[in-house]
Amino acid sequence: MAEPRVPGGRGAELDLPCGESVGVHDLDMGMREYDCACGASHAVVTDVHPPSRFVPEFLVEVLRETVDTDDDLGEFGTPHIMGVVLEEFPDEVVSENVEEDSDVGYALVWVTDFDSRRLHEIVVELLVELMEHAVSHAEDDDATTQFEEAMLDFDVPTFVDQYREERDFSGPHDRAV
């Protein structure tokens, strides 16, 4: 008997921002991009992807020590990062909770209207904003000044290019440029 297409249930379909749809069973854990029938590539992120997909592990550790999470998701991680992206781009990101579907291997999935390269830049930009906000609350003018000066020299596209080249991406689209 066929499984009904119920939101969050087995066989859930995601209505993408481009107007197309994709079944969660077409999105596997190793996928970083989905080549859509609309002709575009959409970034794919699941909760099992580590935050180090976007930034080095040492920075992930700093964020985990600094950011208090107030939810059932535990320490700061990919779901929190994607929550910030979703908040910033509500019309360009869709997500689905598929924890009831044990066949997919992940509980949460996000698909964006932009490709994985652009998503990577957006994530880095949002994390820099988050860090700047945290530094501004430290009430240490020297730390704030140092951070702001360091950010003047920080080029997000260059960082993303270098990080993507150094990272060992295994998906068909996330490889060294």
Side-chain angles (χ1 to χ4, degrees):
M1 184 169 158
E3 291 281 341
R5 301 276 185 197
V6 207
R10 299 172 69 81
E13 292 271 331
L14 283 169
D15 292 325
L16 303 176
C18 66
E20 297 289 334
S21 64
V22 62
V24 295
H25 286 253
D26 294 326
L27 306 173
D28 64 61
M29 292 185 299
M31 187 177 277
R32 302 284 196 246
E33 273 189 345
Y34 171 72
D35 291 327
C36 185
C38 76
S41 292
H42 303 295
V44 176
V45 180
T46 67
D47 60 326
V48 297
H49 292 163
S52 58
R53 169 181 172 175
F54 302 108
V55 294
E57 192 61 43
F58 79 87
L59 187 54
V60 172
E61 289 305 316
V62 169
L63 289 165
R64 285 184 172 149
E65 290 172 13
T66 308
V67 178
D68 290 327
T69 59
D70 228 8
D71 53 37
D72 297 336
L73 300 172
E75 65 187 0
F76 184 83
T78 300
H80 300 99
I81 291 170
M82 291 309 296
V84 173
V85 174
L86 181 60
E87 186 176 303
E88 197 70 27
F89 298 93
D91 297 331
E92 294 162 297
V93 180
V94 295
S95 65
E96 188 73 30
N97 181 335
V98 292
E99 63 187 62
E100 299 297 319
D101 190 341
S102 60
D103 293 334
V104 294
Y106 52 84
L108 299 168
V109 62
W110 298 265
V111 180
T112 70
D113 201 31
F114 23 83
D115 65 17
S116 64
R117 171 76 171 69
R118 178 66 186 128
L119 173 63
H120 198 155
E121 285 184 357
I122 288 169
V123 166
V124 171
E125 289 166 356
L126 292 172
L127 290 177
V128 166
E129 285 180 24
L130 180 68
M131 291 184 298
E132 184 175 28
H133 181 75
V135 168
S136 73
H137 284 283
E139 297 180 11
D140 181 343
D141 292 338
D142 290 338
T144 302
T145 301
Q146 284 179 333
F147 183 83
E148 288 172 353
E149 287 174 0
M151 289 302 100
L152 290 174
D153 295 330
F154 183 68
D155 182 76
V156 172
T158 300
F159 168 82
V160 170
D161 285 342
Q162 290 173 349
Y163 192 69
R164 291 170 75 85
E165 189 173 309
E166 290 174 17
R167 276 286 286 160
D168 180 27
F169 289 111
S170 58
H173 298 284
D174 281 339
R175 59 186 176 273
V177 184

